[in-house]
Amino acid sequence: MTPSPFRSRQFWLPHPLFSLFLALLWLLMVNDFSVAHALLGLALGVAIPFVTHAFWAEEAKIKRPLPLLRYLLVLLVDILRSNLVVAIRILRPARHLQPGFFLYPLALDDDFAITILASTISLTPGTVSIHHDAKANTLLVHALHLEDEAEAIATIRERYEQPLEEIFR
């Protein structure tokens, strides 16, 4: 007799780290560390992965966690720095913004890593990833201020894509 799939932890808690992340994110968003909000955060942390598990293509395979920590620190610093740069550009009396689109050629081939890269670009103020062309293996990116397309591509490759290759390969 085979064990019932309903009794396994994998069935009820398909992504435990993601569940914990969602619970902590909930507590940070509501900015209230009461028992009620902690329980609601845990309930959401369990329910959301449970309901969406069928739509997840595959589990992320993080090969090297230390570069992931460095990546997150670089991302945090870049988000803070970009917030200041965008605020200064917007608040200047003479706005000399040069918005533009550019195609970013991807070296990544892992769907999850590409999603992380696209999300990273969008999280950094002043840039938004708009479309992933799987056939051409490119991302369409919009920048609030684009002076040099080659420099923007080199920055994304050096600060984000190369570390992601190291993390997921």
Side-chain angles (χ1 to χ4, degrees):
M1 185 164 114
T2 60
S4 170
F6 299 111
R7 292 186 180 201
S8 74
R9 183 213 45 91
Q10 186 65 27
F11 178 79
W12 293 105
L13 197 61
H15 302 285
L17 289 177
F18 185 59
S19 294
L20 182 62
F21 170 75
L22 287 174
L24 292 173
L25 182 64
W26 174 259
L27 289 173
L28 290 172
M29 284 180 19
V30 297
N31 198 23
D32 182 9
F33 296 98
S34 66
V35 174
H37 277 293
L39 290 173
L40 181 58
L42 286 172
L44 290 171
V46 170
I48 291 171
F50 179 75
V51 171
T52 63
H53 179 69
F55 301 107
W56 292 42
E58 62 187 50
E59 296 254 345
K61 304 289 188 239
I62 297 173
K63 306 287 192 244
R64 303 183 66 206
L66 186 59
L68 176 62
L69 183 59
R70 279 191 308 237
Y71 181 82
L72 292 173
L73 290 173
V74 166
L75 177 60
L76 181 63
V77 168
D78 285 354
I79 288 172
L80 294 172
R81 185 175 352 139
S82 295
N83 270 308
L84 292 173
V85 169
V86 168
I88 289 168
R89 285 201 171 119
I90 296 296
L91 295 174
R92 273 191 197 150
R95 295 184 191 149
H96 295 291
L97 295 177
Q98 297 173 341
F101 293 91
F102 63 94
L103 282 175
Y104 180 80
L106 291 164
L108 294 169
D109 54 5
D110 180 73
D111 287 340
F112 188 73
I114 292 170
T115 302
I116 296 294
L117 178 63
S119 298
T120 297
I121 291 169
S122 294
L123 278 172
T124 308
T127 55
V128 176
S129 61
I130 297 172
H131 176 71
H132 172 235
D133 185 343
K135 289 182 183 177
N137 205 27
T138 59
L139 282 176
L140 178 61
V141 178
H142 179 267
L144 180 66
H145 186 73
L146 181 64
E147 290 179 9
D148 184 1
E149 182 178 325
E151 181 184 336
I153 290 171
T155 300
I156 291 171
R157 184 163 325 280
E158 177 187 322
R159 295 191 67 81
Y160 307 127
E161 189 175 30
Q162 287 175 347
L164 284 173
E165 285 178 332
E166 186 179 351
I167 292 165
F168 290 104
R169 286 191 185 178

